[in-house]
């Protein structure tokens, strides 16, 4: 696939960035902001510029590390993953098109001062010309941008110098007419004025010496434009009464009329038209690169990445962007939709500030030549400031941003997700952090002490099955000189008095005591034996465990019955209400297992599950096999991180550890003698998050159900499932 030619120097970069900002932000929005905040609109422009700075610094750093076409999309996609990358790419593409349409429609009223022309036809004609210019090549676009910006700045400078002496201090009193709320509302409104500062990053692949020119272009244009905005708005407020320019379609021209006369108004009209045309021009240039970059990554059809053989530009992408722009001008109230674009632009800047944190934390090959100062405090300030501004955008703007977000997510799920096999750096950062936390908890669980295990029998069992349960319990407590408590919980009908049932011993009870005493001789641990008669076995087990303060309950239970919720299985009830951990055994015998499989369920291994495995394996000299479900389309980074997690886990265990081999090639040599899995979460949320394998069981299996106090919360469980 062809690459784009690097032919944009620093003057062009500055021109594109300045031209992308000086448009509707100064020639249209001051009137609306003045109506909201009064004279404090001057402070609103300054505050907005300060709040944009963190995103500008973050984008400058990432642009030097990844000078590729796509800008915002590229950084968020690489850092936060393809889902958020799709949302950022589509949303920013639309918001830039919205702002370009607003610039063209907003510029026409300035033309109407001298010419009696209809707004929409003129705006459509200007848009068509700019689309054609962009199709001819970035170099031609950049040269045009330089000419436009120089002429525009010359006219604005004349206005500033000619009007400065006419400023009246009385026009600034009272300053905060709208209070702090009005100031913040105005700041949110004019925030979009600075959105173009980072547009140049979207064409970074075409910039000469990007390590130098991109940071200088972004930061230099932001500082210059902020100063220019403040000066112009201060003069507009200082030379006119608020009612003159508030809500005016041509506020700068009205201010110029009061100070520099007809000739000055003419210069301002020329500057306004040039500025708004340059905003639309830069918007087409940068926004067309978003579908171009997304197509190269498989998130949209490949045809959008096609580069023209003749002009070296992404012609299909530019044509699509131009078509959207023309449709917006012709059929949509651009001024209202621009507010929606502003809200989404703030969200994108928040994501940009979060993305740089993901890169710094997780990307080994992230090597920018420029680094954002005061990291991460600068980014935290940007995130918090953006969140505050979003609250001032109004319900309609926020709802519109949500619609764009949901639509982009739906496109990703339907089109892109089946076609790509990658994830963002942030996902791996979270995965590593989750793995580290679980490993710490696992180490604590392994070194913990288990003093008493209650073997709860609810029916008469044969000698072999009871022996298996007692050996398991003994292996769990032996390292800690603990005790095994074996209790047969006998349930009698409600009509039968408990006193009568406890006074007589049945032949089965006698056999149980003799059998248990005989089995206890060879266990090398203390064993207590007892019988409890009750009308409700499940309550009796829980009450006894709580009164005796045992550390673990061990009971027989077929795993395939764990899903039988409708039948109200008593053991399931015990799991939900027990005051301690519960081990449920699908009992197929237990005699010094040589190979124990630690079964994974898609997340990190449960610490209690690992602790049980360690205790049994050390007592029997067993080898542990780490079973973990894999997928054919798993990203390479995920596999590497999970392998590192396995290696760290193996270091915590004091027995030999290996991963399972392919049954088709090893002839069943990896078949375990015992499997230990994480038990299903019986809380309602577990039904959504657990991934239980309900296949046939060929060996004894232990399901480890941690007590509720040891269960991770819903957010953490969700993180574990998503990132692992």
């Amino acid at each position: 696939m062809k690459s784009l030619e690097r032919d944009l120097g620093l003057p062009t970069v500055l021109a594109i960035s300045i031209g992308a900002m000086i448009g509707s932000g100064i020639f249209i929005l001051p009137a609306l902001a003045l109506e909201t905040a009064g004279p404090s609109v001057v402070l609103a422009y300054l505050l907005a510029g300060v709040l944009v700075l963190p995103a500008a610094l973050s984008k400058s750093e990432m642009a030097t590390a990844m000078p590729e076409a796509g800008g915002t999309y590229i950084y968020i996609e690489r850092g936060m993953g393809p889902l958020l990358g799709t949302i950022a790419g589509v949303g920013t593409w639309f918001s830039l098109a919205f702002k370009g349409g607003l610039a063209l429609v907003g510029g026409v009223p300035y033309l109407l001062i001298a010419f009696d022309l209809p707004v929409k036809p003129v705006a459509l004609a200007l848009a068509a010309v700019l689309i054609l210019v962009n199709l001819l090549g970035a170099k031609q676009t950049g040269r045009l941008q330089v000419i436009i910006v120089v002429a525009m700045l010359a006219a604005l400078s004349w206005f500033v110098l000619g009007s400065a002496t006419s400023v009246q201090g009385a026009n600034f009193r009272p300053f905060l007419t709208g209070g702090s709320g009005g100031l913040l509302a105005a700041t949110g409104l004019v925030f979009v004025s600075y959105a173009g500062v980072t547009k140049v990053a979207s064409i970074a692949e075409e910039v000469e010496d990007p390590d130098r020119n991109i940071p200088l272009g972004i930061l230099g244009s932001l500082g210059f434009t902020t100063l220019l905005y403040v000066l112009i708005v201060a003069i507009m407020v200082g030379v006119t009464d608020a009612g003159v320019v508030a809500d005016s379609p041509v506020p700068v021209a009205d201010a110029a009329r009061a100070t520099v006369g007809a000739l000055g108004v003419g210069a301002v009209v020329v500057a306004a038209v040039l500025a708004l045309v340059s905003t639309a021009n830069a918007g087409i240039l940068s926004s067309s690169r978003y579908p171009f970059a997304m197509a190269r990554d498989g998130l949209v059809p490949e045809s959008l990445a096609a580069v023209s053989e003749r002009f070296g530009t992404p012609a299909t992408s530019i044509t699509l962007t131009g078509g959207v722009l023309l449709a917006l001008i012709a059929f949509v109230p651009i001024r209202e939709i621009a507010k929606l674009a502003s809200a989404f632009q703030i969200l994108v800047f928040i994501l940009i500030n979060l993305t740089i944190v993901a890169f710094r934390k997780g990307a080994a090959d992230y090597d920018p030549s420029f680094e954002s100062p005061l990291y991460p405090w600068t980014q935290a300030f940007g995130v918090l400031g953006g969140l505050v501004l979003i609250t001032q955008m109004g319900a309609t703007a926020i709802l519109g941003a949500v619609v764009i977000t949901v639509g982009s997510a739906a496109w990703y799920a339907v089109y892109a997700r089946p076609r790509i096999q990658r994830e963002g750096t942030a996902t791996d950062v979270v995965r590593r952090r989750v793995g580290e936390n679980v490993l710490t908890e696992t180490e604590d669980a392994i070194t913990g002490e288990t003093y008493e295990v209650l073997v709860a029998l609810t029916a008469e069992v044969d000698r072999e099955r009871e022996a298996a349960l007692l050996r398991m319990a003994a292996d769990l407590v032996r390292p800690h000189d603990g005790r095994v408590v074996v209790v047969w919980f006998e349930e009698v009908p409600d009509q039968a008095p408990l006193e009568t049932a406890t006074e007589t011993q049945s032949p089965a009870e006698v056999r149980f005591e003799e059998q248990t005493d005989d089995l206890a001789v060879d266990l090398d641990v203390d064993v207590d034996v007892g019988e409890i008669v009750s009308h409700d076995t499940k309550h009796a087990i829980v009450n006894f465990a709580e009164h005796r303060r045992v550390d673990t309950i061990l009971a027989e239970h077929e795993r395939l019955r764990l899903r039988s919720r409708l039948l109200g299985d008593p053991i399931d009830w015990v799991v939900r209400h027990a005051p301690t951990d519960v081990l449920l055994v699908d009992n197929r015998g237990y005699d010094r297992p040589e190979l124990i499989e630690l079964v994974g369920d898609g997340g990190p291994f449960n610490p209690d599950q690992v602790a049980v495995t360690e205790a049994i394996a050390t007592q029997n000299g067993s080898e542990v096999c780490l079973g973990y479900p894999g997928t054919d389309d798993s990203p390479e980074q995920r596999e590497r991180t999970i392998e590192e997690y396995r290696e760290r886990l193996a270091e915590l265990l004091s027995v030999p550890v290996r991963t399972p081999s392919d049954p088709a090639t090893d002839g069943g040599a990896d078949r375990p003698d015992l499997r230990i899995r994480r038990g299903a979460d019986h809380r309602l949320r577990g039904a959504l998050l657990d991934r239980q394998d309900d296949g046939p069981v060929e060996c004894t299996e232990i399901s480890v159900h941690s007590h509720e106090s040891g269960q991770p919360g819903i957010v953490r469980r969700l993180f574990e499932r998503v990132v692992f």
Side-chain angles (χ1 to χ4, degrees), residues 41-55:
V41 66
V42 178
L43 184 58
Y45 271 92
L46 178 61
L47 181 58
V50 172
L51 291 174
V52 168
L53 182 60

Side-chain angles (χ1 to χ4, degrees), residues 27 103 107-108 110-111 126 148 268-278:
F27 290 101
V108 171
Y110 282 90
L111 282 176
L126 289 174
I148 291 175
V268 165
V269 167
V270 172
V273 173
L274 289 176
L276 295 167
V277 169
S278 72

Side-chain angles (χ1 to χ4, degrees), residues 339-340 343 389-400:
K339 296 179 182 179
L340 304 178
L389 290 185
I390 283 180
T391 64
Q392 307 301 318
M393 298 301 295
T396 301
I398 295 175
L399 179 61

Side-chain angles (χ1 to χ4, degrees), residues 89-153:
V90 172
T92 307
W93 177 54
F94 271 111
S95 67
L96 290 174
F98 295 158
K99 190 181 179 186
L102 174 63
L104 290 174
V105 175
V108 171
Y110 282 90
L111 282 176
L112 296 181
I113 294 177
F115 306 99
D116 185 13
L117 297 172
V119 174
K120 284 191 176 181
V122 174
L124 288 170
L126 289 174
V129 171
L130 294 176
I131 293 168
L132 180 62
V133 170
N134 275 269
L135 286 172
L136 296 179
K139 181 178 291 187
Q140 289 79 358
T141 302
R143 288 172 177 171
L144 174 62
Q145 194 75 0
V146 172
I147 295 172
I148 291 175
V149 170
V150 169
M152 174 188 65
L153 292 180

Side-chain angles (χ1 to χ4, degrees), residues 175-356:
F175 188 67
L176 288 171
T177 56
S180 59
L183 173 62
L184 290 176
T187 303
L189 178 64
V190 304
F191 186 88
V192 71
S193 305
Y194 296 95
V197 68
T198 59
K199 281 184 184 179
V200 70
S202 66
I203 55 169
E205 195 170 334
E206 301 160 78
V207 175
E208 297 175 348
D209 192 8
D211 293 349
R212 171 182 176 272
N213 290 339
I214 291 177
L216 286 177
I218 291 177
L219 299 178
S221 61
L222 176 61
F224 175 82
T225 305
T226 301
L227 177 61
L228 185 63
Y229 276 166
V230 170
L231 287 175
I232 292 177
V233 173
I235 289 174
M236 290 172 60
V237 173
V239 300
T240 63
D241 294 332
V244 174
V245 296
D247 204 25
S248 168
V250 287
V252 182
D254 288 339
R257 187 176 292 111
T259 58
V260 291
L263 190 58
V265 171
V268 165
V269 167
V270 172
V273 173
L274 289 176
L276 295 167
V277 169
S278 72
T279 298
N281 182 51
I284 295 173
L285 173 63
S286 56
S287 63
S288 65
R289 270 47 175 183
Y290 284 90
F292 173 78
M294 294 172 69
R296 296 198 302 190
D297 285 340
L299 298 181
V300 295
E302 293 183 2
S303 59
L304 291 175
V307 177
S308 169
E309 293 283 348
R310 181 176 180 183
F311 302 111
T313 58
T316 306
S317 180
I318 292 174
T319 302
L320 176 63
T321 301
V324 171
L325 178 63
L326 292 172
L328 289 172
I329 293 173
F331 304 110
V332 182
I334 297 297
R335 292 176 184 270
E336 295 300 321
I337 296 181
K339 296 179 182 179
L340 304 178
S342 299
F344 199 87
Q345 191 65 55
I346 295 173
L347 288 175
V348 169
F349 277 13
I350 291 174
L351 286 176
I352 282 292
N353 285 311
L354 293 175
T355 299
I356 193 175

Side-chain angles (χ1 to χ4, degrees), residues 428-442 603-605 607 641-642 644-646 648-649 652 716 719-720 723-724:
D428 197 59
V429 170
V430 174
R431 182 186 298 118
R432 289 178 182 275
R433 180 62 57 86
V434 169
E436 290 289 340
N437 292 339
V438 173
L439 286 170
T440 300
E441 295 171 1
T442 301
F605 293 106
T641 302
I642 290 178
E644 292 174 6
Y645 165 76
R646 286 173 174 165
R648 292 279 307 280
L649 179 62
L652 295 179
R716 175 173 162 184
F719 265 133
E720 289 179 355
V723 303
F724 269 79

Side-chain angles (χ1 to χ4, degrees), residues 311-501:
F311 302 111
T313 58
T316 306
S317 180
I318 292 174
T319 302
L320 176 63
T321 301
V324 171
L325 178 63
L326 292 172
L328 289 172
I329 293 173
F331 304 110
V332 182
I334 297 297
R335 292 176 184 270
E336 295 300 321
I337 296 181
K339 296 179 182 179
L340 304 178
S342 299
F344 199 87
Q345 191 65 55
I346 295 173
L347 288 175
V348 169
F349 277 13
I350 291 174
L351 286 176
I352 282 292
N353 285 311
L354 293 175
T355 299
I356 193 175
V357 178
F359 278 121
R360 292 250 193 142
K361 292 288 186 181
D365 56 349
Y366 180 69
D367 186 24
S369 58
F370 169 83
E371 293 188 354
S372 172
L374 300 178
Y375 166 91
W377 305 111
T378 299
Q379 286 67 36
F381 173 73
V383 171
L384 293 176
L387 292 174
V388 170
L389 290 185
I390 283 180
T391 64
Q392 307 301 318
M393 298 301 295
T396 301
I398 295 175
L399 179 61
V402 170
V403 170
I404 294 176
T405 300
V406 172
S408 301
W411 171 267
Y412 171 80
V414 173
Y415 179 86
R417 182 66 185 90
R419 291 172 169 81
I420 60 175
Q421 298 180 11
R422 63 179 181 274
E423 61 185 14
T425 301
T427 302
D428 197 59
V429 170
V430 174
R431 182 186 298 118
R432 289 178 182 275
R433 180 62 57 86
V434 169
E436 290 289 340
N437 292 339
V438 173
L439 286 170
T440 300
E441 295 171 1
T442 301
E443 186 174 12
D444 294 338
I446 290 176
T447 57
E449 298 180 344
T450 302
Y451 293 102
E452 285 195 353
V453 172
L454 168 63
V455 179
L457 302 176
T458 58
E460 186 178 8
V461 295
D462 59 40
R463 182 183 181 88
E464 181 179 349
R465 288 167 58 193
E466 184 180 355
L469 295 174
L470 265 61
R471 291 193 193 105
M472 288 181 198
D475 287 343
L476 292 173
V477 303
R478 190 178 294 113
H480 314 289
D481 296 326
R483 180 182 299 271
V484 175
V485 182
V486 187
V487 178
W488 181 8
F489 293 88
E490 182 181 1
E491 184 170 310
V492 297
D494 292 340
Q495 297 83 355
L498 293 179
E499 294 80 3
T500 302

